[in-house]
Amino acid sequence: MIDTSKSSSVEQQKAELFIADVVEKWLDCKLERRAKVVLGEGVHIEPDLYSEDERIICEIFAHIGDLKVGQKHKISQDILKMLLLEKSTGFQYRKIIVVADDNVEKYLHGKSFIAESIRQFGIEVKKINLSDEVRTSVSNAQARQIMINSN
């Protein structure tokens, strides 16, 4: 379902759908989207892409440009989600964070605790190229969100 709150981005959600399709082709398998994965009594996660059979958990980050603190926190939460899944189930998963921007990819391979966590825990970072049209649409939506959320 598409979020219609003031800070939502239909454009970003459409980009995530596009990225999800590309990831499925890249991995050559069907992945469940926004699966409700129960980890314990009253505790569940909803990864962007998931396959129990293939043991894959994937989070999509369609942000364009430099990251703000809140966006870094989102990535940290995605990492925790992946690690909690492994700990709770006792199985090792192929853990993937998919991004759509060179700056984000560079940050995730850089010299931060998030990048080091990605390396230490064996999380793959995959960059998907968006079309110019989708990239511009996401960038425009992000600019609109800044103006709306600054009020």
Side-chain angles (χ1 to χ4, degrees):
M1 168 138 296
I2 293 180
D3 185 357
T4 58
S5 67
K6 285 195 326 182
S7 63
S8 76
S9 169
V10 171
E11 298 86 350
Q12 196 162 343
Q13 291 172 1
K14 287 180 181 178
E16 289 174 1
L17 291 173
F18 170 81
I19 291 168
D21 290 342
V22 172
V23 169
E24 285 183 332
K25 288 177 187 150
W26 167 57
L27 294 173
D28 194 28
C29 70
K30 184 74 176 144
L31 300 168
E32 198 172 342
R33 298 174 189 206
R34 305 295 299 165
K36 184 176 181 179
V37 182
V38 176
L39 301 177
E41 189 173 328
V43 178
H44 74 277
I45 59 171
E46 293 183 25
D48 292 328
L49 298 171
Y50 177 77
S51 172
E52 181 62 34
D53 293 339
E54 301 292 330
R55 300 261 193 260
I56 296 171
I57 182 169
C58 180
E59 291 293 337
I60 298 170
F61 194 70
H63 180 81
I64 305 295
D66 293 331
L67 299 172
K68 293 184 173 42
V69 173
Q71 293 149 344
K72 292 176 184 177
H73 285 292
K74 180 188 183 315
I75 294 169
S76 296
Q77 289 177 329
D78 288 345
I79 291 169
L80 281 171
K81 191 185 303 183
M82 293 173 176
L83 299 177
L84 182 59
L85 173 66
E86 287 189 328
K87 182 73 172 177
S88 297
T89 63
F91 295 111
Q92 186 169 348
Y93 282 74
R94 184 173 182 183
K95 301 172 294 297
I96 308 166
I97 297 175
V98 182
V99 300
D101 185 80
D102 291 333
N103 291 340
V104 177
E105 181 184 36
K106 184 184 282 187
Y107 174 76
L108 297 180
H109 287 301
K111 295 188 183 297
S112 68
F113 82 91
I114 292 175
E116 188 61 23
S117 297
I118 286 168
R119 285 187 287 277
Q120 292 286 330
F121 289 109
I123 299 169
E124 297 174 52
V125 175
K126 172 78 172 168
K127 182 180 169 278
I128 301 293
N129 294 316
L130 300 176
S131 69
D132 289 341
E133 178 184 338
V134 172
R135 187 174 183 80
T136 299
S137 176
V138 170
S139 293
N140 290 342
Q142 288 175 192
R144 183 184 70 240
Q145 288 172 338
I146 290 169
M147 289 187 291
I148 290 171
N149 291 331
S150 66
N151 292 332

